[in-house]
Amino acid sequence: MTRREERLAARLAATLDGTLTVAAARHLMAQGLLDTRACERRIARRRMDELASGGCPRCGAMYAVAEELGCSYAKVKTLYYESFQKDQP
């Protein structure tokens, strides 16, 4: 697994509050049973909302999330705004 996938698996396990272990997340990702893009989208949106509720400006929150997920600011920006489109019926 890549470092980005490792970080994603850890964040996914943390997001699910112990329901899913990091090892289980890694296994599901390796088998192709998880939509990693959807997982990244959900994690980015949730973390952005957490940081915004703490008073962090949106751009700063995007940089922080990019660092946490090991990806670019542009990717986080895309994931965040995609999450609004995917919520629409």
Side-chain angles (χ1 to χ4, degrees):
M1 292 187 104
T2 65
R3 186 170 32 159
R4 183 185 63 78
E5 291 171 334
E6 288 288 336
R7 287 182 180 183
L8 180 60
R11 292 291 300 163
L12 181 60
T15 300
L16 296 175
D17 299 322
T19 304
L20 182 70
T21 64
V22 176
R26 284 187 199 130
H27 180 71
L28 291 171
M29 289 171 67
Q31 297 298 315
L33 298 173
L34 283 179
D35 181 358
T36 55
R37 183 73 174 193
C39 293
E40 288 175 331
R41 190 180 314 116
R42 184 173 181 95
I43 289 168
R45 172 86 181 266
R46 180 175 285 176
R47 187 66 180 129
M48 287 281 302
D49 291 344
E50 288 173 4
L51 292 170
S53 69
C56 185
R58 187 175 295 154
C59 289
M62 285 185 187
Y63 277 112
V65 172
E67 182 69 29
E68 289 175 14
L69 292 179
C71 61
S72 69
Y73 172 87
K75 182 170 183 173
V76 172
K77 181 179 172 186
T78 301
L79 290 169
Y80 182 70
Y81 290 114
E82 274 181 1
S83 71
F84 291 107
Q85 293 173 348
K86 298 297 181 183
D87 288 344
Q88 301 301 321

